[in-house]
Amino acid sequence: MALAASDRVSSAFSVAVVGAGISGLACARALAERGVLPTVFEKSLAAGGRAAARMTELGGFDHGVQYFTVRDGDFAAALAPLLAAGQIAPWMARFRTQTDENSERFVGVPSMQALGAGLALGIDVRYDQRVTRLERVYTSRPPRWSLNRVGYDAEAHDLEVTEGLFDALVIALPPEDTLALLEFAPALARRIKNVRMRPCWALMLGFAEPLNTPFDAAALAGPRLSWIARDSSKPGRRPGERWVAHASAAWSEEHLKDDPEDVRAKLLKAFHEVTATRAQPIHAVVHRWRYSLVENPLAEGFVWDAQQRVGACGDWCSGARVESAFLSGSSLGAEVASALSELSRRPPLASAL
Ligand SMILES: Cc1cc2nc3c(=O)[nH]c(=O)nc-3n(C[C@H](O)[C@H](O)[C@H](O)COP(=O)(O)OP(=O)(O)OC[C@H]3O[C@@H](n4cnc5c(N)ncnc54)[C@H](O)[C@@H]3O)c2cc1C
C-alpha cells in the first residue's frame, strides 16, 4: 500500500515496541514507513519470536513455525524483497495431507529465522533486553513512558536499567506476557485476559540415514502428534535427515509439566508409529513452547488505548498464523502513527490533558 505524504509523522516522536516477533517487527516497520523511528526491545538474541530455528551440529531445525502462507497484499509487499534476496522461498514438499489448499507455503532460508532477520533489516532492535516494567512518567506534558529492562553490570550480574522517555508504547508479546506488563491499564487488560494460548511440545530428530517415507510432511489427527515434517526437505537446508514433530495441543497440555526425557521417549514412539519406521535417531531433543497457537483470538486486529497511547498486538488478536501476527502489528503501527500525528496538531494545553 503506497502511503500519502499526509501519513508521515514527525520523527521527533519516540515509540518503544516490546518484542521482536513478527508482530513487533511489522509494527516497527509500519511506524518507520510513516517517519517514526521506533526502538524494539527483544529478550532473546534473534528476531522472529516463534518463527525460530534451533541450530545443531547436524544442521538447523525449524522447531516453531513450519511454514507460512501469504494472502494479504501488504504482507506480500513486505516479503517481496526477502523473496528476491532468497531469504524466503516456497517449500515444495510431498505433503501427505492437504493443508492450506491452493496456498503456496513459504519458509525462511536457510532456516525459519531468516524471516525475522529479513523483516528486522533497518529497524533498531536491541537484543538480550527483557522488559520487566512499564511506567507512566507524569513529569512531562503530555505524560510519556519509560520502561525497565534487564541489563548487566561489569561482572555480568543482572541490573535493572530504565529506558525512555517514549511518546507511545506497543507490547507485541503473547497475551499472558502482555498482561504481566499491563497492570496500569485495567481496561486493556480486561479485553485480553480471556485469550487462551495452547502449548506445544516439539521433538527434533536427526538420523544418520534417510528414512524411507513416501511423504515429507503430514498434518495428523492422532492423539499425540499433530504434525511431522522432514526439515531437511525445505529449500537451502544443509543435507542430512532431520525431522520435526509437534505434539497435539491436548497432549501437550496434559504433559505440560512432564520430565522432558519422558516426553522425548513418548513422542519418539509416536513418531515411529506414524512413519512406520524403527530407525534410532542420533539426535533427539524436545522443546516446550508454553505459548504456541491461540485458541480463541480476538477479532479486533489489535488493542489500543488512545488516552494512554499504549497498545498491544500479536497473532492472538486475529488468528494463529504468522500472517495474522504481521497484519496485527502493521495495523497497530498505522494507528499509533495516526495518534501521534493527531497529537502534534493539538495545542499544547489540550495535549497536556
Ligand atoms: C510450535 C509452533 C508451530 C507453529 N506453526 C505455525 C505455522 O506452521 N504457520 C504459521 O503461520 N504459524 C505457526 N505458528 C504460529 C506463529 O508462530 C505465530 O502466529 C507468530 O509467530 C506470532 O508472532 P508474534 O509476534 O505475535 O509473537 P511471538 O513470535 O511470540 O513474539 C514475541 C517476541 O517477544 C519476545 N519477548 C517475550 N517477552 C519479552 C519481554 N518481556 N521483553 C522483551 N521481549 C520479549 C519473545 O522473545 C519474542 O521474540 C506456530 C507456533 C508454534 C509455537
Short mmCIF file of all heavy atoms in Angstrom, two decimals, residues 18-24 41-44 46 48-51 63-69 129-132 172-174 177 181 200 246 289 291-293 313-316 319-323 325, ligand 1:
data_model
loop_
_atom_site.label_atom_id
_atom_site.label_comp_id
_atom_site.label_asym_id
_atom_site.label_seq_id
_atom_site.Cartn_x
_atom_site.Cartn_y
_atom_site.Cartn_z
N VAL A 18 7.85 -3.58 22.46
CA VAL A 18 8.40 -4.67 23.27
C VAL A 18 8.15 -5.98 22.54
O VAL A 18 7.00 -6.38 22.35
CB VAL A 18 7.74 -4.70 24.66
CG1 VAL A 18 8.42 -5.76 25.53
CG2 VAL A 18 7.81 -3.33 25.33
N GLY A 19 9.22 -6.64 22.10
CA GLY A 19 9.09 -7.92 21.40
C GLY A 19 9.40 -7.78 19.93
O GLY A 19 8.80 -6.95 19.24
N ALA A 20 10.38 -8.58 19.45
CA ALA A 20 10.74 -8.55 18.03
C ALA A 20 10.30 -9.83 17.33
O ALA A 20 11.00 -10.39 16.51
CB ALA A 20 12.25 -8.34 17.86
N GLY A 21 9.07 -10.30 17.70
CA GLY A 21 8.45 -11.36 16.89
C GLY A 21 7.92 -10.72 15.61
O GLY A 21 8.16 -9.52 15.36
N ILE A 22 7.17 -11.47 14.83
CA ILE A 22 6.69 -10.95 13.55
C ILE A 22 5.76 -9.75 13.76
O ILE A 22 5.82 -8.77 13.02
CB ILE A 22 5.98 -12.07 12.74
CG1 ILE A 22 6.95 -13.26 12.53
CG2 ILE A 22 5.45 -11.54 11.41
CD1 ILE A 22 8.27 -12.92 11.87
N SER A 23 4.93 -9.78 14.82
CA SER A 23 4.01 -8.65 15.03
C SER A 23 4.77 -7.39 15.46
O SER A 23 4.48 -6.29 14.97
CB SER A 23 2.93 -9.00 16.06
OG SER A 23 3.50 -9.22 17.33
N GLY A 24 5.75 -7.53 16.35
CA GLY A 24 6.52 -6.37 16.79
C GLY A 24 7.31 -5.77 15.63
O GLY A 24 7.37 -4.53 15.48
N PHE A 41 12.64 -3.64 21.79
CA PHE A 41 13.37 -4.34 22.85
C PHE A 41 13.00 -5.81 22.79
O PHE A 41 11.81 -6.16 22.87
CB PHE A 41 13.00 -3.75 24.22
CG PHE A 41 13.44 -2.31 24.35
CD1 PHE A 41 12.60 -1.27 23.97
CD2 PHE A 41 14.71 -2.01 24.83
CE1 PHE A 41 13.01 0.04 24.06
CE2 PHE A 41 15.14 -0.69 24.93
CZ PHE A 41 14.28 0.34 24.55
N GLU A 42 14.01 -6.67 22.66
CA GLU A 42 13.77 -8.10 22.49
C GLU A 42 14.58 -8.88 23.52
O GLU A 42 15.77 -8.65 23.67
CB GLU A 42 14.17 -8.51 21.05
CG GLU A 42 14.31 -9.99 20.80
CD GLU A 42 13.05 -10.81 21.13
OE1 GLU A 42 11.96 -10.42 20.73
OE2 GLU A 42 13.20 -11.85 21.81
N LYS A 43 13.91 -9.82 24.19
CA LYS A 43 14.61 -10.52 25.28
C LYS A 43 15.62 -11.56 24.77
O LYS A 43 16.58 -11.88 25.45
CB LYS A 43 13.61 -11.18 26.22
CG LYS A 43 12.99 -12.45 25.72
CD LYS A 43 12.20 -13.16 26.81
CE LYS A 43 11.54 -14.39 26.24
NZ LYS A 43 10.60 -15.04 27.12
N SER A 44 15.40 -12.08 23.56
CA SER A 44 16.31 -13.13 23.08
C SER A 44 17.40 -12.52 22.21
O SER A 44 17.51 -11.30 22.09
CB SER A 44 15.53 -14.20 22.33
OG SER A 44 15.15 -13.69 21.08
N ALA A 46 17.77 -13.10 18.92
CA ALA A 46 17.43 -13.05 17.50
C ALA A 46 16.02 -12.53 17.34
O ALA A 46 15.19 -12.61 18.25
CB ALA A 46 17.53 -14.45 16.90
N GLY A 48 12.23 -12.58 15.35
CA GLY A 48 11.36 -13.59 14.73
C GLY A 48 10.45 -14.31 15.72
O GLY A 48 9.46 -14.90 15.32
N GLY A 49 10.80 -14.33 17.00
CA GLY A 49 9.95 -14.97 18.01
C GLY A 49 9.74 -16.44 17.71
O GLY A 49 10.71 -17.19 17.53
N ARG A 50 8.47 -16.82 17.60
CA ARG A 50 8.15 -18.24 17.37
C ARG A 50 8.51 -18.71 15.96
O ARG A 50 8.51 -19.91 15.69
CB ARG A 50 6.66 -18.49 17.66
CG ARG A 50 6.34 -18.53 19.13
CD ARG A 50 4.84 -18.53 19.37
NE ARG A 50 4.31 -17.18 19.55
CZ ARG A 50 3.04 -16.84 19.42
NH1 ARG A 50 2.15 -17.75 19.10
NH2 ARG A 50 2.64 -15.59 19.62
N ALA A 51 8.81 -17.79 15.04
CA ALA A 51 9.37 -18.16 13.73
C ALA A 51 10.87 -18.36 13.96
O ALA A 51 11.69 -17.50 13.65
CB ALA A 51 9.10 -17.06 12.72
N HIS A 63 11.90 -25.42 14.77
CA HIS A 63 11.10 -26.14 15.78
C HIS A 63 9.81 -25.42 16.15
O HIS A 63 8.97 -25.96 16.85
CB HIS A 63 11.93 -26.43 17.04
CG HIS A 63 12.48 -25.22 17.74
ND1 HIS A 63 13.01 -24.15 17.07
CD2 HIS A 63 12.57 -24.91 19.05
CE1 HIS A 63 13.41 -23.24 17.94
NE2 HIS A 63 13.15 -23.69 19.15
N GLY A 64 9.62 -24.18 15.65
CA GLY A 64 8.37 -23.46 15.87
C GLY A 64 7.56 -23.45 14.58
O GLY A 64 7.12 -24.51 14.11
N VAL A 65 7.40 -22.25 13.99
CA VAL A 65 6.64 -22.14 12.73
C VAL A 65 7.19 -23.12 11.69
O VAL A 65 8.41 -23.20 11.50
CB VAL A 65 6.76 -20.69 12.18
CG1 VAL A 65 6.14 -20.59 10.79
CG2 VAL A 65 6.12 -19.70 13.13
N GLN A 66 6.29 -23.82 11.01
CA GLN A 66 6.71 -24.79 10.00
C GLN A 66 6.76 -24.18 8.61
O GLN A 66 7.65 -24.45 7.83
CB GLN A 66 5.75 -25.98 10.02
CG GLN A 66 5.86 -26.75 11.31
CD GLN A 66 7.27 -27.27 11.51
OE1 GLN A 66 7.73 -28.13 10.75
NE2 GLN A 66 7.99 -26.76 12.49
N TYR A 67 5.76 -23.38 8.30
CA TYR A 67 5.72 -22.65 7.03
C TYR A 67 4.70 -21.53 7.21
O TYR A 67 3.97 -21.50 8.20
CB TYR A 67 5.31 -23.58 5.87
CG TYR A 67 3.92 -24.12 5.97
CD1 TYR A 67 2.82 -23.39 5.52
CD2 TYR A 67 3.67 -25.37 6.54
CE1 TYR A 67 1.53 -23.88 5.64
CE2 TYR A 67 2.39 -25.87 6.66
CZ TYR A 67 1.32 -25.11 6.20
OH TYR A 67 0.04 -25.59 6.33
N PHE A 68 4.65 -20.61 6.27
CA PHE A 68 3.63 -19.57 6.36
C PHE A 68 3.02 -19.35 4.99
O PHE A 68 3.66 -19.62 3.96
CB PHE A 68 4.16 -18.26 6.97
CG PHE A 68 5.39 -17.73 6.28
CD1 PHE A 68 5.28 -16.79 5.25
CD2 PHE A 68 6.65 -18.16 6.65
CE1 PHE A 68 6.41 -16.30 4.61
CE2 PHE A 68 7.79 -17.68 6.00
CZ PHE A 68 7.67 -16.76 4.99
N THR A 69 1.79 -18.88 4.98
CA THR A 69 1.10 -18.59 3.74
C THR A 69 0.95 -17.07 3.62
O THR A 69 1.04 -16.36 4.63
CB THR A 69 -0.28 -19.27 3.71
OG1 THR A 69 -0.95 -18.96 4.93
CG2 THR A 69 -0.15 -20.78 3.57
N GLN A 129 17.39 -7.94 25.81
CA GLN A 129 16.87 -6.89 26.68
C GLN A 129 15.43 -7.22 27.06
O GLN A 129 14.49 -6.82 26.37
CB GLN A 129 16.98 -5.52 25.99
CG GLN A 129 18.41 -5.21 25.61
CD GLN A 129 18.71 -3.74 25.46
OE1 GLN A 129 17.81 -2.91 25.47
NE2 GLN A 129 19.97 -3.41 25.32
N ARG A 130 15.31 -7.97 28.13
CA ARG A 130 13.96 -8.36 28.59
C ARG A 130 13.32 -7.20 29.33
O ARG A 130 13.90 -6.67 30.29
CB ARG A 130 14.05 -9.59 29.50
CG ARG A 130 12.68 -10.12 29.94
CD ARG A 130 12.80 -11.52 30.50
NE ARG A 130 13.65 -11.56 31.68
CZ ARG A 130 13.25 -11.28 32.92
NH1 ARG A 130 11.98 -10.94 33.15
NH2 ARG A 130 14.09 -11.34 33.94
N VAL A 131 12.15 -6.80 28.90
CA VAL A 131 11.44 -5.70 29.54
C VAL A 131 10.67 -6.24 30.73
O VAL A 131 9.95 -7.24 30.63
CB VAL A 131 10.50 -5.00 28.52
CG1 VAL A 131 9.64 -3.94 29.21
CG2 VAL A 131 11.32 -4.38 27.40
N THR A 132 10.82 -5.59 31.86
CA THR A 132 10.21 -6.09 33.10
C THR A 132 9.09 -5.19 33.61
O THR A 132 8.23 -5.63 34.35
CB THR A 132 11.27 -6.21 34.21
OG1 THR A 132 11.96 -4.96 34.28
CG2 THR A 132 12.25 -7.33 33.93
N ALA A 172 4.20 -6.33 22.04
CA ALA A 172 3.99 -7.32 20.97
C ALA A 172 4.42 -8.69 21.48
O ALA A 172 5.36 -9.31 20.96
CB ALA A 172 4.78 -6.91 19.72
N LEU A 173 3.72 -9.15 22.51
CA LEU A 173 4.04 -10.40 23.20
C LEU A 173 2.81 -11.29 23.23
O LEU A 173 1.70 -10.81 23.02
CB LEU A 173 4.47 -10.11 24.65
CG LEU A 173 5.51 -9.01 24.89
CD1 LEU A 173 5.76 -8.87 26.39
CD2 LEU A 173 6.80 -9.34 24.17
N PRO A 174 2.96 -12.57 23.56
CA PRO A 174 1.77 -13.40 23.80
C PRO A 174 0.91 -12.77 24.91
O PRO A 174 1.42 -12.00 25.74
CB PRO A 174 2.36 -14.75 24.23
CG PRO A 174 3.72 -14.77 23.61
CD PRO A 174 4.20 -13.35 23.65
N ASP A 177 2.05 -12.73 28.70
CA ASP A 177 3.18 -11.82 28.95
C ASP A 177 2.73 -10.36 28.83
O ASP A 177 3.24 -9.48 29.54
CB ASP A 177 4.31 -12.09 27.94
CG ASP A 177 4.89 -13.48 28.10
OD1 ASP A 177 4.81 -14.04 29.21
OD2 ASP A 177 5.41 -14.02 27.11
N LEU A 181 2.61 -7.00 31.91
CA LEU A 181 3.16 -5.64 31.80
C LEU A 181 2.07 -4.56 31.86
O LEU A 181 2.37 -3.38 31.82
CB LEU A 181 3.94 -5.48 30.49
CG LEU A 181 5.25 -6.27 30.35
CD1 LEU A 181 5.87 -6.05 28.98
CD2 LEU A 181 6.24 -5.87 31.44
N CYS A 200 2.76 -26.40 23.08
CA CYS A 200 3.16 -27.44 22.10
C CYS A 200 4.54 -27.98 22.46
O CYS A 200 5.50 -27.22 22.56
CB CYS A 200 3.19 -26.83 20.69
SG CYS A 200 3.81 -27.97 19.44
N HIS A 246 5.48 -32.21 16.07
CA HIS A 246 4.77 -31.40 17.08
C HIS A 246 3.70 -32.25 17.74
O HIS A 246 2.91 -32.91 17.05
CB HIS A 246 4.10 -30.19 16.43
CG HIS A 246 5.07 -29.11 16.07
ND1 HIS A 246 4.82 -28.14 15.13
CD2 HIS A 246 6.31 -28.83 16.56
CE1 HIS A 246 5.86 -27.32 15.06
NE2 HIS A 246 6.77 -27.72 15.90
N TRP A 289 7.06 -25.31 23.90
CA TRP A 289 6.52 -23.97 23.63
C TRP A 289 5.37 -23.76 24.59
O TRP A 289 4.32 -24.39 24.45
CB TRP A 289 6.01 -23.86 22.19
CG TRP A 289 7.09 -23.92 21.15
CD1 TRP A 289 7.47 -25.01 20.43
CD2 TRP A 289 7.92 -22.83 20.72
NE1 TRP A 289 8.49 -24.68 19.57
CE2 TRP A 289 8.78 -23.35 19.73
CE3 TRP A 289 8.02 -21.49 21.07
CZ2 TRP A 289 9.73 -22.54 19.09
CZ3 TRP A 289 8.97 -20.70 20.43
CH2 TRP A 289 9.81 -21.23 19.45
N TYR A 291 3.60 -21.09 24.88
CA TYR A 291 2.54 -20.44 24.11
C TYR A 291 2.80 -20.75 22.64
O TYR A 291 3.80 -20.31 22.07
CB TYR A 291 2.57 -18.92 24.32
CG TYR A 291 2.52 -18.55 25.79
CD1 TYR A 291 3.50 -17.74 26.36
CD2 TYR A 291 1.50 -19.03 26.60
CE1 TYR A 291 3.46 -17.41 27.71
CE2 TYR A 291 1.47 -18.72 27.95
CZ TYR A 291 2.44 -17.92 28.50
OH TYR A 291 2.39 -17.60 29.83
N SER A 292 1.88 -21.49 22.04
CA SER A 292 2.09 -21.92 20.66
C SER A 292 1.05 -21.28 19.75
O SER A 292 1.31 -20.30 19.07
CB SER A 292 2.02 -23.44 20.62
OG SER A 292 1.94 -23.90 19.33
N LEU A 293 -0.16 -21.84 19.76
CA LEU A 293 -1.23 -21.32 18.90
C LEU A 293 -2.36 -20.80 19.77
O LEU A 293 -2.65 -21.37 20.82
CB LEU A 293 -1.76 -22.41 17.97
CG LEU A 293 -0.72 -23.05 17.04
CD1 LEU A 293 -1.37 -24.12 16.17
CD2 LEU A 293 -0.03 -22.02 16.15
N CYS A 313 -0.34 -5.95 20.28
CA CYS A 313 -0.63 -6.67 19.05
C CYS A 313 -0.04 -8.07 19.14
O CYS A 313 0.72 -8.39 20.05
CB CYS A 313 -0.06 -5.92 17.83
SG CYS A 313 1.73 -5.67 17.90
N GLY A 314 -0.37 -8.90 18.17
CA GLY A 314 0.13 -10.27 18.14
C GLY A 314 -0.84 -11.15 17.39
O GLY A 314 -1.96 -10.73 17.08
N ASP A 315 -0.41 -12.38 17.10
CA ASP A 315 -1.29 -13.30 16.37
C ASP A 315 -2.61 -13.49 17.12
O ASP A 315 -3.66 -13.65 16.52
CB ASP A 315 -0.60 -14.64 16.14
CG ASP A 315 -0.12 -15.30 17.42
OD1 ASP A 315 -0.07 -14.65 18.48
OD2 ASP A 315 0.23 -16.50 17.36
N TRP A 316 -2.56 -13.42 18.44
CA TRP A 316 -3.74 -13.67 19.26
C TRP A 316 -4.83 -12.63 19.06
O TRP A 316 -5.96 -12.82 19.51
CB TRP A 316 -3.35 -13.76 20.74
CG TRP A 316 -2.54 -12.58 21.21
CD1 TRP A 316 -1.18 -12.45 21.14
CD2 TRP A 316 -3.04 -11.37 21.77
NE1 TRP A 316 -0.80 -11.23 21.65
CE2 TRP A 316 -1.93 -10.56 22.03
CE3 TRP A 316 -4.31 -10.90 22.08
CZ2 TRP A 316 -2.05 -9.29 22.59
CZ3 TRP A 316 -4.45 -9.64 22.64
CH2 TRP A 316 -3.31 -8.85 22.88
N GLY A 319 -5.66 -14.31 14.74
CA GLY A 319 -5.59 -15.67 14.20
C GLY A 319 -4.24 -16.29 14.46
O GLY A 319 -3.28 -15.59 14.71
N ALA A 320 -4.19 -17.63 14.38
CA ALA A 320 -2.99 -18.34 14.83
C ALA A 320 -1.96 -18.51 13.72
O ALA A 320 -1.54 -19.63 13.43
CB ALA A 320 -3.41 -19.70 15.38
N ARG A 321 -1.58 -17.44 13.08
CA ARG A 321 -0.66 -17.57 11.96
C ARG A 321 0.35 -16.43 11.93
O ARG A 321 0.08 -15.35 12.44
CB ARG A 321 -1.43 -17.49 10.63
CG ARG A 321 -2.21 -18.72 10.28
CD ARG A 321 -3.08 -18.42 9.07
NE ARG A 321 -3.90 -19.57 8.74
CZ ARG A 321 -3.52 -20.54 7.92
NH1 ARG A 321 -2.36 -20.47 7.33
NH2 ARG A 321 -4.32 -21.55 7.66
N VAL A 322 1.43 -16.68 11.23
CA VAL A 322 2.44 -15.64 11.01
C VAL A 322 1.79 -14.43 10.33
O VAL A 322 2.02 -13.28 10.71
CB VAL A 322 3.59 -16.22 10.15
CG1 VAL A 322 4.45 -15.10 9.58
CG2 VAL A 322 4.43 -17.19 10.97
N GLU A 323 0.98 -14.70 9.33
CA GLU A 323 0.36 -13.59 8.59
C GLU A 323 -0.56 -12.76 9.51
O GLU A 323 -0.60 -11.53 9.41
CB GLU A 323 -0.42 -14.11 7.38
CG GLU A 323 -0.97 -12.98 6.53
CD GLU A 323 -1.43 -13.43 5.16
OE1 GLU A 323 -1.76 -14.62 5.01
OE2 GLU A 323 -1.46 -12.59 4.24
N ALA A 325 -0.14 -12.33 12.69
CA ALA A 325 0.76 -11.54 13.55
C ALA A 325 1.24 -10.31 12.79
O ALA A 325 1.26 -9.19 13.32
CB ALA A 325 1.94 -12.41 13.99
C1 LIG B 1 5.19 -24.90 17.54
C2 LIG B 1 4.58 -23.80 16.72
C3 LIG B 1 4.21 -24.04 15.41
C4 LIG B 1 3.66 -23.04 14.64
N1 LIG B 1 3.38 -23.29 13.31
C5 LIG B 1 2.97 -22.28 12.52
C6 LIG B 1 2.87 -22.48 11.10
O1 LIG B 1 3.24 -23.53 10.57
N2 LIG B 1 2.41 -21.45 10.35
C7 LIG B 1 2.05 -20.23 10.90
O2 LIG B 1 1.67 -19.32 10.16
N3 LIG B 1 2.18 -20.02 12.24
C8 LIG B 1 2.61 -21.01 13.05
N4 LIG B 1 2.78 -20.80 14.40
C9 LIG B 1 2.26 -19.54 14.98
C10 LIG B 1 3.24 -18.39 14.76
O3 LIG B 1 4.46 -18.72 15.34
C11 LIG B 1 2.69 -17.12 15.40
O4 LIG B 1 1.41 -16.85 14.91
C12 LIG B 1 3.56 -15.88 15.18
O5 LIG B 1 4.92 -16.20 15.00
C13 LIG B 1 3.36 -14.96 16.38
O6 LIG B 1 4.18 -13.81 16.29
P1 LIG B 1 4.08 -12.69 17.41
O7 LIG B 1 4.97 -11.58 17.03
O8 LIG B 1 2.63 -12.37 17.65
O9 LIG B 1 4.59 -13.39 18.78
P2 LIG B 1 5.99 -14.08 19.15
O10 LIG B 1 6.53 -14.80 17.99
O11 LIG B 1 5.70 -14.88 20.38
O12 LIG B 1 6.96 -12.86 19.51
C14 LIG B 1 7.08 -12.32 20.80
C15 LIG B 1 8.52 -11.84 20.97
O13 LIG B 1 8.64 -11.14 22.21
C16 LIG B 1 9.83 -11.56 22.88
N5 LIG B 1 9.59 -11.32 24.31
C17 LIG B 1 8.80 -12.04 25.18
N6 LIG B 1 8.78 -11.44 26.40
C18 LIG B 1 9.58 -10.35 26.31
C19 LIG B 1 9.96 -9.32 27.23
N7 LIG B 1 9.49 -9.31 28.50
N8 LIG B 1 10.79 -8.35 26.81
C20 LIG B 1 11.26 -8.33 25.53
N9 LIG B 1 10.93 -9.27 24.60
C21 LIG B 1 10.09 -10.26 24.99
C22 LIG B 1 9.98 -13.01 22.51
O14 LIG B 1 11.33 -13.45 22.66
C23 LIG B 1 9.53 -12.98 21.03
O15 LIG B 1 10.62 -12.68 20.17
C24 LIG B 1 3.40 -21.76 15.19
C25 LIG B 1 3.80 -21.51 16.51
C26 LIG B 1 4.42 -22.50 17.26
C27 LIG B 1 4.93 -22.20 18.64
#
